[in-house]
Amino acid sequence: MAQKGLARDMVVRAALELLDEVGLDGLSVRRLAARLGVQNPALYWHFRNKQELLDEMTRELLAPGMGGPREGEDWRDWLARRAHGYRRMLLSHRDGARLVSGSDPGPSVARGFEEELTTLAGLGFTPAQGLHAIGSISHYTLGFVLNEQARRERQARGVTKEPAEYADFPLTVAGVRAGGAPTSDEAYEYGLRLILDGLAAARSS
């Protein structure tokens, strides 16, 4: 296959598939080239190094989730929907949160972010409020999913606690039974609600 004939988007899709199979630590240009049936230089035609490939993979994941509120949707419902969509995206690929946290999404995603800030400004947020609103929710979600995916990896390796090991922590057990584990959907929703409540209070003060 000729270097110029190897489509950039095909390389990115194949890289995301390989990520799901081997994880971020196992992803390499050599493995990706073998998957595509080409030599390494065919990939360097599009990406100068592995980090450029990771950056493009991140852009591929982030871009579809950006945008403004739907018709009739208020800012709180929009930001909650955006947050849940971001979390689903990160969870849709193995090590998705590690990939995104270590990459530079570039100007295309930055333009989408600027459009979102413009929308928030039109809804009465100052530039600083809008910037920190989206940033706080995004950072919370990214950190939450980093923990979720790390826990999944530990479980896959069989590194989990036996029920008897929790006997000395009755309040922890009671909290999990009542509100879900720290990495559960219920826990994520609770934290997100706290952030949104804080944003609403800050805007009204």
Side-chain angles (χ1 to χ4, degrees):
M1 183 181 295
Q3 292 178 357
K4 293 183 179 180
L6 188 61
R8 187 181 178 94
D9 60 344
M10 183 173 69
V11 175
V12 173
R13 287 196 300 270
L16 288 169
E17 292 173 358
L18 185 59
L19 176 69
D20 289 336
E21 294 175 13
V22 302
L24 191 59
D25 293 334
L27 179 63
S28 67
V29 173
R30 178 185 58 80
R31 275 184 163 175
L32 181 57
R35 184 184 187 90
L36 290 166
V38 299
Q39 298 298 313
N40 288 12
L43 302 185
Y44 290 124
W45 179 267
H46 295 293
F47 306 101
R48 290 178 297 178
N49 50 53
K50 180 181 176 180
Q51 188 57 55
E52 280 197 2
L53 172 62
L54 297 179
D55 291 345
E56 187 66 25
M57 292 165 65
T58 296
R59 285 190 280 275
E60 179 75 12
L61 294 179
L62 289 177
M66 306 191 78
R70 297 167 178 166
E71 185 175 356
E73 188 176 40
D74 65 21
W75 68 266
R76 184 176 178 124
D77 290 338
W78 165 41
L79 292 182
R81 176 173 57 82
R82 184 187 187 281
H84 285 293
Y86 185 44
R87 180 175 174 232
R88 284 193 301 272
M89 178 276 293
L90 294 172
L91 288 170
S92 69
H93 290 281
R94 182 178 174 183
D95 288 333
R98 286 182 61 202
L99 169 66
V100 170
S101 65
S103 301
D104 179 4
S108 60
V109 172
R111 281 192 291 271
F113 184 68
E114 181 73 12
E115 291 174 3
E116 290 181 330
L117 291 181
T118 300
T119 299
L120 284 173
L123 293 171
F125 284 75
T126 68
Q129 286 174 332
L131 177 69
H132 296 313
I134 294 179
S136 296
I137 292 171
S138 297
H139 293 153
Y140 163 66
T141 303
L142 186 61
F144 194 95
V145 176
L146 279 169
N147 279 302
E148 280 187 279
Q149 294 186 317
R151 189 169 189 273
R152 288 183 181 182
E153 288 294 326
R154 291 195 300 271
Q155 288 176 330
R157 297 195 307 269
V159 185
T160 55
K161 287 183 177 293
E162 295 298 326
E165 296 183 57
Y166 292 105
D168 294 332
F169 310 103
L171 293 180
T172 300
V173 172
V176 169
R177 287 175 176 169
T183 53
S184 65
D185 293 343
E186 294 85 356
Y188 177 76
E189 181 63 36
Y190 184 85
L192 177 59
R193 189 163 60 248
L194 289 179
I195 294 174
L196 294 172
D197 287 347
L199 290 173
R203 291 188 70 225
S204 61
S205 62

